[in-house]
Amino acid sequence: MEEQIPTIEYNTENTERADGKKLARVHSIESFGSVDGPGIRFIVFLKGCAMRCQYCHNPDTWDTHSDELVTADELLAKAIRFKSYWGAKGGITVSGGEALLQIDFLIEFFRKAKELGINTCLDTSAQPFHRTGVFFEKFEELMKYTDLLLFDIKHIDSDEHKKLTGWPNENILDCVRYLSEIGKPIWIRHVLVPTITDKEAYLLRLREFIASLNNVEKIEVLPYHTLGIYKWENLNMPYPLKGIPEPTPEQVQLAQQILEGKA
Ligand code: SF4
């Protein structure tokens, strides 16, 4: 029997101002991002994530509460100051945490950005995605204003995905399939964690899945790193991947070639 995806406790406090404008819970902002999407980008990291990836380098984004609540207009005003650096390819990326937990805000933010001709990119693990009800209607709406998705596939095997993140992956892979159906461009990202995601059999399965899609513009193998361990320590949480080494450049290159069907 297919496993039931547990529902998420959404934090719905303070998501709308009295005048109806949506509010975002912002974790942080990077004015000159160069790795999260094409060109130079204004990156907004939103708060809240239900996943518990064992290698998460931003566990301080998990909590959905935030003292910093901003409207789409306020964030756009900040972003536009950097517009002259964006060139033809750059723009705005919203990341997290898991940005889809604030989908109402995202719709308003990206709609207004598109009205100003700004390129919009969503960095997501798609954990809240399901093809039903109000969420799906909102997701379809959001896709009208989203130019590109950076799509994190944490593990191709659902049982292993659950061990690694706390959640199965069926709905996540279904989100990728849906994006392929509507022809929405995506970059697939995959964190290479020695002994966990680097097994050839898993990489080949992921390759097969990617090959079945028609919307993948780029594949990025990201090496697992330990730079976020101090954040786990600051939050008094034991780091689950202690002792797992970072992959070598050769391991990363081989995984990249496998996912691109070149090895
Ligand atoms: S989805 Fe991202 S923010 Fe959430 S736990 Fe995983 S790595 Fe961290």
Side-chain angles (χ1 to χ4, degrees), residues 48-59 61-62 96-98 124-125 127 152 154 165:
C49 186
M51 295 248 265
R52 293 292 178 262
C53 300
Q54 294 185 328
Y55 55 70
C56 183
H57 57 270
N58 285 321
T61 63
W62 290 351
E98 174 47 65
T124 184
S125 65
Q127 187 277 328
D152 261 316
K154 311 287 186 187
T165 72

mmCIF file of all heavy atoms in Angstrom, residues 48-59 61-62 96-98 124-125 127 152 154 165, ligand 1:
data_model
loop_
_atom_site.group_PDB
_atom_site.id
_atom_site.type_symbol
_atom_site.label_atom_id
_atom_site.label_comp_id
_atom_site.label_asym_id
_atom_site.label_seq_id
_atom_site.Cartn_x
_atom_site.Cartn_y
_atom_site.Cartn_z
ATOM 1 N N GLY A 48 11.250 28.513 7.373
ATOM 2 C CA GLY A 48 10.346 27.367 7.484
ATOM 3 C C GLY A 48 10.729 26.232 6.573
ATOM 4 O O GLY A 48 10.913 26.436 5.377
ATOM 5 N N CYS A 49 10.865 25.045 7.137
ATOM 6 C CA CYS A 49 11.055 23.838 6.332
ATOM 7 C C CYS A 49 10.626 22.642 7.171
ATOM 8 O O CYS A 49 10.964 22.560 8.352
ATOM 9 C CB CYS A 49 12.511 23.685 5.899
ATOM 10 S SG CYS A 49 12.709 22.279 4.765
ATOM 11 N N ALA A 50 9.859 21.747 6.542
ATOM 12 C CA ALA A 50 9.401 20.550 7.259
ATOM 13 C C ALA A 50 10.383 19.397 7.098
ATOM 14 O O ALA A 50 10.324 18.428 7.847
ATOM 15 C CB ALA A 50 8.028 20.135 6.737
ATOM 16 N N MET A 51 11.264 19.500 6.115
ATOM 17 C CA MET A 51 12.247 18.430 5.936
ATOM 18 C C MET A 51 13.306 18.558 7.031
ATOM 19 O O MET A 51 13.487 19.616 7.641
ATOM 20 C CB MET A 51 12.893 18.536 4.570
ATOM 21 C CG MET A 51 11.906 18.314 3.442
ATOM 22 S SD MET A 51 12.186 16.810 2.511
ATOM 23 C CE MET A 51 13.161 17.458 1.183
ATOM 24 N N ARG A 52 14.020 17.471 7.218
ATOM 25 C CA ARG A 52 15.097 17.459 8.214
ATOM 26 C C ARG A 52 16.311 16.788 7.589
ATOM 27 O O ARG A 52 16.786 15.762 8.078
ATOM 28 C CB ARG A 52 14.637 16.727 9.491
ATOM 29 C CG ARG A 52 13.529 17.449 10.251
ATOM 30 C CD ARG A 52 14.049 18.765 10.865
ATOM 31 N NE ARG A 52 13.013 19.518 11.570
ATOM 32 C CZ ARG A 52 12.342 20.542 11.045
ATOM 33 N NH1 ARG A 52 12.573 20.930 9.806
ATOM 34 N NH2 ARG A 52 11.451 21.198 11.763
ATOM 35 N N CYS A 53 16.787 17.376 6.493
ATOM 36 C CA CYS A 53 17.910 16.767 5.772
ATOM 37 C C CYS A 53 19.111 16.659 6.715
ATOM 38 O O CYS A 53 19.472 17.630 7.385
ATOM 39 C CB CYS A 53 18.283 17.609 4.560
ATOM 40 S SG CYS A 53 16.914 17.772 3.400
ATOM 41 N N GLN A 54 19.722 15.484 6.712
ATOM 42 C CA GLN A 54 20.809 15.255 7.661
ATOM 43 C C GLN A 54 22.018 16.119 7.361
ATOM 44 O O GLN A 54 22.862 16.314 8.215
ATOM 45 C CB GLN A 54 21.192 13.771 7.646
ATOM 46 C CG GLN A 54 20.068 12.893 8.175
ATOM 47 C CD GLN A 54 20.481 11.441 8.264
ATOM 48 O OE1 GLN A 54 21.285 10.969 7.464
ATOM 49 N NE2 GLN A 54 19.941 10.724 9.225
ATOM 50 N N TYR A 55 22.104 16.609 6.119
ATOM 51 C CA TYR A 55 23.256 17.459 5.778
ATOM 52 C C TYR A 55 22.878 18.933 5.690
ATOM 53 O O TYR A 55 23.658 19.750 5.209
ATOM 54 C CB TYR A 55 23.884 17.021 4.454
ATOM 55 C CG TYR A 55 22.924 16.976 3.277
ATOM 56 C CD1 TYR A 55 22.401 18.140 2.728
ATOM 57 C CD2 TYR A 55 22.551 15.759 2.722
ATOM 58 C CE1 TYR A 55 21.534 18.102 1.664
ATOM 59 C CE2 TYR A 55 21.682 15.704 1.650
ATOM 60 C CZ TYR A 55 21.176 16.879 1.119
ATOM 61 O OH TYR A 55 20.306 16.839 0.061
ATOM 62 N N CYS A 56 21.687 19.289 6.155
ATOM 63 C CA CYS A 56 21.215 20.677 5.997
ATOM 64 C C CYS A 56 22.260 21.663 6.531
ATOM 65 O O CYS A 56 22.719 21.536 7.660
ATOM 66 C CB CYS A 56 19.897 20.872 6.743
ATOM 67 S SG CYS A 56 19.233 22.522 6.523
ATOM 68 N N HIS A 57 22.623 22.636 5.700
ATOM 69 C CA HIS A 57 23.580 23.621 6.199
ATOM 70 C C HIS A 57 22.878 24.895 6.660
ATOM 71 O O HIS A 57 23.521 25.871 6.997
ATOM 72 C CB HIS A 57 24.688 23.906 5.175
ATOM 73 C CG HIS A 57 24.201 24.377 3.850
ATOM 74 N ND1 HIS A 57 23.891 23.525 2.821
ATOM 75 C CD2 HIS A 57 23.970 25.618 3.390
ATOM 76 C CE1 HIS A 57 23.484 24.231 1.786
ATOM 77 N NE2 HIS A 57 23.513 25.501 2.105
ATOM 78 N N ASN A 58 21.531 24.860 6.653
ATOM 79 C CA ASN A 58 20.785 26.003 7.169
ATOM 80 C C ASN A 58 19.669 25.570 8.133
ATOM 81 O O ASN A 58 18.510 25.942 7.942
ATOM 82 C CB ASN A 58 20.152 26.802 6.021
ATOM 83 C CG ASN A 58 21.165 27.621 5.274
ATOM 84 O OD1 ASN A 58 22.064 28.193 5.879
ATOM 85 N ND2 ASN A 58 21.034 27.673 3.961
ATOM 86 N N PRO A 59 19.999 24.782 9.172
ATOM 87 C CA PRO A 59 18.923 24.352 10.084
ATOM 88 C C PRO A 59 18.274 25.532 10.815
ATOM 89 O O PRO A 59 17.169 25.404 11.346
ATOM 90 C CB PRO A 59 19.635 23.405 11.067
ATOM 91 C CG PRO A 59 21.072 23.795 11.003
ATOM 92 C CD PRO A 59 21.306 24.286 9.602
ATOM 93 N N THR A 61 16.955 27.857 9.395
ATOM 94 C CA THR A 61 15.796 28.306 8.606
ATOM 95 C C THR A 61 14.550 27.452 8.897
ATOM 96 O O THR A 61 13.475 27.764 8.402
ATOM 97 C CB THR A 61 16.060 28.203 7.083
ATOM 98 O OG1 THR A 61 16.265 26.832 6.741
ATOM 99 C CG2 THR A 61 17.240 29.032 6.655
ATOM 100 N N TRP A 62 14.696 26.344 9.638
ATOM 101 C CA TRP A 62 13.582 25.412 9.783
ATOM 102 C C TRP A 62 12.354 26.035 10.469
ATOM 103 O O TRP A 62 11.225 25.786 10.069
ATOM 104 C CB TRP A 62 14.016 24.193 10.607
ATOM 105 C CG TRP A 62 14.986 23.300 9.900
ATOM 106 C CD1 TRP A 62 15.367 23.370 8.572
ATOM 107 C CD2 TRP A 62 15.717 22.205 10.469
ATOM 108 N NE1 TRP A 62 16.282 22.373 8.298
ATOM 109 C CE2 TRP A 62 16.511 21.644 9.439
ATOM 110 C CE3 TRP A 62 15.773 21.634 11.740
ATOM 111 C CZ2 TRP A 62 17.351 20.542 9.653
ATOM 112 C CZ3 TRP A 62 16.601 20.536 11.956
ATOM 113 C CH2 TRP A 62 17.381 20.001 10.929
ATOM 114 N N GLY A 96 15.200 28.882 0.506
ATOM 115 C CA GLY A 96 14.751 28.701 1.886
ATOM 116 C C GLY A 96 15.846 28.099 2.738
ATOM 117 O O GLY A 96 17.021 28.182 2.387
ATOM 118 N N GLY A 97 15.379 27.351 3.733
ATOM 119 C CA GLY A 97 14.076 26.797 4.026
ATOM 120 C C GLY A 97 13.383 26.244 2.786
ATOM 121 O O GLY A 97 13.991 25.970 1.776
ATOM 122 N N GLU A 98 12.073 26.076 2.934
ATOM 123 C CA GLU A 98 11.266 25.630 1.812
ATOM 124 C C GLU A 98 10.286 26.743 1.461
ATOM 125 O O GLU A 98 9.304 26.963 2.183
ATOM 126 C CB GLU A 98 10.522 24.330 2.166
ATOM 127 C CG GLU A 98 9.546 23.862 1.105
ATOM 128 C CD GLU A 98 10.154 23.891 -0.302
ATOM 129 O OE1 GLU A 98 11.098 23.134 -0.549
ATOM 130 O OE2 GLU A 98 9.677 24.675 -1.156
ATOM 131 N N THR A 124 13.696 25.007 -4.740
ATOM 132 C CA THR A 124 12.772 24.240 -3.901
ATOM 133 C C THR A 124 13.153 22.767 -3.820
ATOM 134 O O THR A 124 13.806 22.231 -4.716
ATOM 135 C CB THR A 124 11.334 24.353 -4.458
ATOM 136 O OG1 THR A 124 10.437 23.665 -3.573
ATOM 137 C CG2 THR A 124 11.200 23.761 -5.849
ATOM 138 N N SER A 125 12.700 22.138 -2.731
ATOM 139 C CA SER A 125 12.766 20.670 -2.657
ATOM 140 C C SER A 125 11.378 20.090 -2.893
ATOM 141 O O SER A 125 11.213 18.872 -2.881
ATOM 142 C CB SER A 125 13.284 20.229 -1.291
ATOM 143 O OG SER A 125 12.354 20.608 -0.298
ATOM 144 N N GLN A 127 8.818 19.691 -1.192
ATOM 145 C CA GLN A 127 8.226 18.776 -0.203
ATOM 146 C C GLN A 127 6.722 19.017 0.030
ATOM 147 O O GLN A 127 5.974 18.044 0.214
ATOM 148 C CB GLN A 127 9.023 18.881 1.114
ATOM 149 C CG GLN A 127 8.629 17.888 2.176
ATOM 150 C CD GLN A 127 7.430 18.359 2.942
ATOM 151 O OE1 GLN A 127 7.257 19.567 3.128
ATOM 152 N NE2 GLN A 127 6.586 17.438 3.360
ATOM 153 N N ASP A 152 15.806 20.531 -6.083
ATOM 154 C CA ASP A 152 16.656 19.633 -5.312
ATOM 155 C C ASP A 152 16.040 18.252 -5.229
ATOM 156 O O ASP A 152 14.978 18.095 -4.611
ATOM 157 C CB ASP A 152 16.735 20.157 -3.873
ATOM 158 C CG ASP A 152 17.989 20.944 -3.624
ATOM 159 O OD1 ASP A 152 19.048 20.497 -4.059
ATOM 160 O OD2 ASP A 152 17.881 21.998 -2.968
ATOM 161 N N LYS A 154 16.748 15.046 -3.383
ATOM 162 C CA LYS A 154 17.670 14.647 -2.308
ATOM 163 C C LYS A 154 18.108 13.199 -2.449
ATOM 164 O O LYS A 154 19.237 12.863 -2.154
ATOM 165 C CB LYS A 154 16.993 14.825 -0.938
ATOM 166 C CG LYS A 154 16.328 16.165 -0.728
ATOM 167 C CD LYS A 154 17.343 17.258 -0.526
ATOM 168 C CE LYS A 154 16.674 18.575 -0.177
ATOM 169 N NZ LYS A 154 17.609 19.674 -0.141
ATOM 170 N N THR A 165 15.924 12.565 4.930
ATOM 171 C CA THR A 165 15.217 13.847 5.112
ATOM 172 C C THR A 165 14.025 13.787 6.070
ATOM 173 O O THR A 165 13.465 14.820 6.419
ATOM 174 C CB THR A 165 14.648 14.352 3.765
ATOM 175 O OG1 THR A 165 13.538 13.517 3.399
ATOM 176 C CG2 THR A 165 15.681 14.331 2.663
HETATM 177 S S1 SF4 B 1 15.036 21.058 2.315
HETATM 178 FE FE1 SF4 B 1 16.753 22.502 2.455
HETATM 179 S S2 SF4 B 1 16.308 23.787 4.249
HETATM 180 FE FE2 SF4 B 1 15.004 21.978 4.384
HETATM 181 S S3 SF4 B 1 16.138 20.565 5.671
HETATM 182 FE FE3 SF4 B 1 16.637 20.086 3.548
HETATM 183 S S4 SF4 B 1 18.488 21.220 3.066
HETATM 184 FE FE4 SF4 B 1 17.603 22.104 4.953
#
